[in-house]
Structures are given as structure tokens and as C-alpha cells.
Amino acid sequence: MVRDSPWITKATMTDFVYLLTSEWFLIKMIKKIYAALLPLVLVGCQSTTPPDWYNVETVNDPNYIYSVGEGRSLNLAKKSALGQINEQLWTQVDSSFTKNDSFRKINDGALSYENVKSTVNAKSAQLTLIGTEYLRSEQNDVAYYVQARVKRDNVKAQILTEIDQIESNAEVELKNLSHQDRLTWWLENNNLEDELADLYVRIGILSTMNEKRAVDITYLPRLVAEVDQVKSSILVYIKPDVNDKKSAAFIAEKFGAVGINTTTRKSRSISHVLIMNSDYRKNMVGDAFITTKVTELSLRNIKGQTLSTSEVISTGNSVSNFKLSHEGAERHFSSQIEEKGIWTALGLQL
């Protein structure tokens, strides 16, 4: 047995244990260092260099627009390439180009749309280009790379088709006015910001592509002018319940906020009537005075056609008297109109 061996002394056993523990500590440290350096080694082995063709400037081609794109997925790389094409389409557009300036050029100064001053730039001019070709695609360990191109004639044809569609939609809306209520028609057409932006974007791009064909813009300017005219012809007669004068005044204020004129007197200029029928229900709960107000709102045109109906239920309470709870119910009614907005409160679907 070892313990009986004359060659192993107590000092020798101590040295042997120290040697083992020292080697164990050294091995443990080496393992920790290896674990810490391994991810760096693996990252260093990853391919992060874009393909050669990605950084090479494409030769200028008069028939095509080329671009490259990079992304963490193939789809994102394609979107990036499309964004580059869009930016190229806008490289020659003056940075001071505005909707208002372009509209005067389109319509020879016949219509001044001075309320719109938003500058149209590449960020707001993203087109969904049809017929884009993806010539190359490659992937490394960190990203996808693609090369795309689109034919210039295809871009011109697409833009001209989209302008024709904008004009066609405007023509349809003008025809709808003859058989549609003027207020509901105005609600559908009072915000033409998107249509105007789409038009100006396309006109601006065509101007950079030396398009020689004349672009006939007729119906959208006419629609803008008609919308303003219809708005000025709308006059809503508010006919409140005898106890509803405060609520009626608040509704008139909300109409005014969206530019619609109202009156509380009959007139030949009236185009619509808003009838307010309110039922005030009074109850005592303990020492509290509670008023529940049920208001029926009915909007009709001058021909007697009902355009919308809605019901607003409001409540108020007081520890003093019904007069104060009545006022509380009216305030609650007003807050609901404020929260919903006048058109939603009236039951009109926008």
C-alpha cells in the first residue's frame, strides 16, 4: 500500500498535491480564455464583404435605371433597391418644388391652391414600380445584396397611366354630385391632399425624364374648385329642443370648426336641418340629484331626405338640485361630441 511505502514522505505528498492543484487551475484558466475568444474567432471567420458587383458603379444606360440594395433579408434588400430607384427619379427635381407651384403650372394659373405648401421630396415620392427586374442576388453571413433595374419607358408609361386614373376618379366624383346630397358628397371629397400629392409627384418625375407628350390635367383642378364651392353653399339649420340651447350652441361651434356654416333661424339659404330631440329624465338616488339626457340627432337635407340619425346618452349629478345635474348632463353631452367628432356623433360614416 502507498501509505506503507518508504519512498513517500509527508513533504513529498504535499508537493504532489500542490502540483495537481496548480495544473488544475491552469487548465481551468485556459478553458475560460478559450471560451471567451471562441465567439471572436467565429465572428472573424464570417463573410461580411459585399460582392464585387455591389460596389462597382453601373454604366449609365439611357434605356434603364439601375440600382443596388442591401438588407438583412432578401425582401428588405429588394425594397432598398427600389428606394434607390425612386431617389434617382428625383435627383433633378428642384428642392423648392411645391404642390402649389406645380398646380399653377398644370392649370395655367386658373386655380390657386394656396393652402397647400408642403414640399414634395423623395421620401414622399415612393412609387410602386411595375416590371422591376432583379439581375443579381447574393448573400453572405450578415446581409443580402441585390441589383435591380427598371426600363425608363416602362416608368413613363406607368406614370402616365396613373395620372389618367387620377383624372378618371376626379371625373367620376364630379358626375356623382348631380345625384348625391351635397353635404355627404363634400365629406367624401373635402380632403384631396393625397390625390394632389400623387398628381404632383408624377408630374415632377415626368419632368425629369424628358417626357415630350403633353399631360392633360382637367378634372382634378375642377374637382378642387367644386369642393370649395359646395362647401360654401352648405348651411345647416339647427333646430334644438326647448331645453337644449346650450347643447345646440356647442354643436354649432363644432360645425364651425370644420368650416360649415349654421343658423338657428329659418332661411331660404338653408341646405340641411339638424333636429335635436332631448328627453331629460330626473331621479333621486339617496341625496343625489341625477339627470339623464337622451338626445336624438336627425340630419336631413332640404328635400326631407334623412341622411343620418344617432342617439347620445349623457348624465349629470348634483348634491344640490336638478338644475345643476341638468347642466352636468349637458356638459357630458358636449364632451361626448368633442370626443367622437361632429360627423361620427351625427352617425355619418366617413
Side-chain angles (χ1 to χ4, degrees):
M1 297 179 63
V2 175
R3 65 185 179 183
D4 297 331
S5 173
W7 301 102
I8 300 177
T9 65
K10 185 175 181 180
T12 303
M13 182 63 72
T14 301
D15 293 340
F16 179 68
V17 171
Y18 175 78
L19 180 63
L20 287 178
T21 55
S22 298
E23 291 182 355
W24 174 82
F25 178 77
L26 181 61
I27 292 171
K28 186 175 181 180
M29 290 300 297
I30 291 173
K31 286 182 177 180
K32 287 184 176 180
I33 294 172
Y34 177 76
L37 294 178
L38 182 59
L40 300 177
V41 173
L42 293 177
V43 169
C45 295
Q46 287 183 334
S47 174
T48 60
T49 304
D52 294 337
W53 53 263
Y54 184 80
N55 293 318
V56 176
E57 185 176 352
T58 305
V59 178
N60 187 29
D61 189 335
N63 297 316
Y64 287 90
I65 302 172
Y66 286 81
S67 72
V68 291
E70 175 185 354
R72 297 182 68 85
S73 68
L74 182 59
N75 187 44
L76 289 176
K78 289 182 177 180
K79 287 183 177 180
S80 175
L82 286 176
Q84 292 296 324
I85 292 177
N86 270 278
E87 289 187 11
Q88 288 184 56
L89 291 172
W90 275 92
T91 53
Q92 298 178 24
V93 176
D94 187 0
S95 61
S96 64
F97 171 77
T98 64
K99 296 178 183 178
N100 187 45
D101 293 339
S102 293
F103 203 82
R104 287 201 295 267
K105 292 177 184 178
I106 293 168
N107 203 34
D108 297 326
L111 175 63
S112 177
Y113 195 71
E114 297 178 354
N115 293 328
V116 180
K117 292 289 186 181
S118 302
T119 298
V120 180
N121 53 38
K123 291 182 179 179
S124 63
Q126 297 297 311
L127 302 179
T128 303
L129 299 169
I130 300 173
T132 304
E133 301 176 76
Y134 296 96
L135 306 178
R136 298 179 180 180
S137 65
E138 197 168 321
Q139 175 190 9
N140 60 23
D141 293 326
V142 295
Y144 288 80
Y145 303 88
V146 298
Q147 183 187 50
R149 75 175 184 181
V150 62
K151 201 167 186 178
R152 290 179 182 272
D153 287 344
N154 289 352
V155 175
K156 292 180 183 180
Q158 177 183 336
I159 290 176
L160 289 169
T161 298
E162 291 176 354
I163 289 176
D164 288 342
Q165 186 61 54
I166 292 171
E167 278 286 272
S168 178
N169 293 341
E171 183 182 11
V172 169
E173 291 301 330
L174 285 168
K175 291 179 179 179
N176 287 342
L177 179 58
S178 62
H179 57 81
Q180 189 175 346
D181 176 77
R182 297 174 75 82
L183 176 58
T184 58
W185 182 89
W186 176 80
L187 282 173
E188 291 176 1
N189 295 283
N190 77 93
N191 187 358
L192 295 172
E193 292 292 320
D194 291 340
E195 288 79 2
L196 289 169
D198 288 344
L199 177 63
Y200 297 133
V201 162
R202 284 150 182 80
I203 293 294
I205 290 176
L206 281 179
S207 69
T208 69
M209 302 184 75
N210 299 319
E211 175 56 39
K212 297 180 180 180
R213 283 174 287 180
V215 180
D216 184 20
I217 305 298
T218 303
Y219 293 106
L220 186 57
R222 193 179 298 172
L223 179 61
V224 172
E226 195 65 42
V227 166
D228 289 340
Q229 184 176 348
V230 167
K231 178 181 178 181
S232 64
S233 70
I234 297 173
L235 179 62
V236 179
Y237 168 42
I238 300 178
K239 188 178 179 181
D241 186 272
V242 66
N243 295 316
D244 242 359
K245 292 183 179 180
K246 288 186 178 180
S247 295
F250 182 80
I251 285 186
E253 179 185 329
K254 291 301 146 186
F255 271 117
V258 294
I260 298 298
N261 295 320
T262 61
T263 181
T264 54
R265 296 181 179 181
K266 291 184 178 181
S267 167
R268 292 183 179 180
S269 302
I270 292 170
S271 61
H272 296 79
V273 179
L274 176 62
I275 300 174
M276 301 177 62
N277 288 323
S278 296
D279 179 19
Y280 288 87
R281 301 168 186 176
K282 301 177 180 180
N283 291 288
M284 289 288 299
V285 177
D287 295 331
F289 298 83
I290 298 177
T291 298
T292 300
K293 174 185 176 184
V294 181
T295 307
E296 293 182 356
L297 301 171
S298 178
L299 182 64
R300 304 172 186 176
N301 59 24
I302 201 64
K303 298 178 182 179
Q305 297 173 322
T306 300
L307 304 180
S308 67
T309 57
S310 65
E311 183 179 79
V312 180
I313 300 176
S314 56
T315 59
N317 61 80
S318 170
V319 295
S320 300
N321 52 55
F322 281 116
K323 181 180 179 180
L324 293 178
S325 65
H326 177 104
E327 293 178 358
E330 285 197 299
R331 287 194 299 271
H332 186 212
F333 170 86
S334 300
S335 67
Q336 290 187 73
I337 302 296
E338 179 77 36
E339 181 180 351
K340 295 178 181 178
I342 184 63
W343 306 120
T344 302
L346 292 177
L348 288 169
Q349 300 297 324
L350 302 182

